[in-house]
Amino acid sequence: QAQLVESGGGLVQAGGSLRLSCAASGRTFNIYAMGWFRQAPGKEREFVSAISWSTTNTEYADSVKGRFAISRDNAKNLVYLQMNSLKPEDTAVYYCAAQILNIGIATVPRGYAYWGQGTQVTVSS
C-alpha cells in the first residue's frame, strides 16, 4: 500500500498564503490521482482539489477555484496545494489522499484508497 505524509499547515491571517505538501511512498506505481480534502469541526470531509498522476487533468471545488492550485512532482512523489487569499472558512484539517481506481478523477472520499494523517490549517480573521 502507499503511505502519505502531509506537511505545511499552520496559522495564517486572512488573505495570506500557505503551501501544503504531500509525500507519497510505498506502492506508488498504481496511483491514478492524488487529492486534497478538508474537514472542519462538526462538518463532513469535503473535496478540495485533485490531480491526475500522469496527465495535466485537475479538479477544484468551486469554493477554492482561483485561489488554490494543485501541482505534483512525479520524480519526488510529491503533491502540493498552493493556497492563496485564504479565508477563515478555509480553516480545517487538510488530508492528502491517493486514488488507485482508473475511473476519472474522484471528488468524493470513497474514491480514494489511501490517506495521510492530516495537517491543520487555521486562518484567523
Side-chain angles (χ1 to χ4, degrees):
Q1 63 179 18
Q3 291 80 44
L4 307 176
V5 179
E6 304 96 335
S7 60
L11 173 64
V12 64
Q13 288 188 333
S17 299
L18 282 174
R19 189 177 80 157
L20 305 183
S21 299
C22 174
S25 61
R27 294 172 64 88
T28 60
F29 64 88
N30 60 344
I31 291 178
Y32 174 77
M34 295 289 293
W36 287 96
F37 288 77
R38 66 187 181 187
Q39 189 166 18
K43 295 187 177 182
E44 294 192 353
R45 192 167 298 189
E46 65 172 358
F47 173 76
V48 176
S49 182
I51 186 168
S52 167
W53 201 238
S54 60
T55 72
T56 58
N57 292 342
T58 58
E59 293 283 349
Y60 292 93
D62 288 343
S63 58
V64 306
K65 281 181 181 177
R67 299 189 298 124
F68 291 10
I70 192 169
S71 60
R72 68 175 194 273
D73 183 335
N74 290 71
K76 297 181 180 179
N77 286 340
L78 288 169
V79 177
Y80 305 101
L81 185 68
Q82 178 66 43
M83 305 186 295
N84 300 323
S85 302
L86 283 161
K87 304 175 182 180
E89 51 264 43
D90 293 319
T91 295
V93 177
Y94 282 71
Y95 296 91
C96 173
Q99 176 186 347
I100 59 174
L101 294 177
N102 186 351
I103 56 172
I105 294 178
T107 59
V108 293
R110 66 177 180 271
Y112 291 79
Y114 305 116
W115 293 83
Q117 82 289 350
T119 185
Q120 177 70 47
V121 172
T122 303
V123 184
S124 63
S125 58

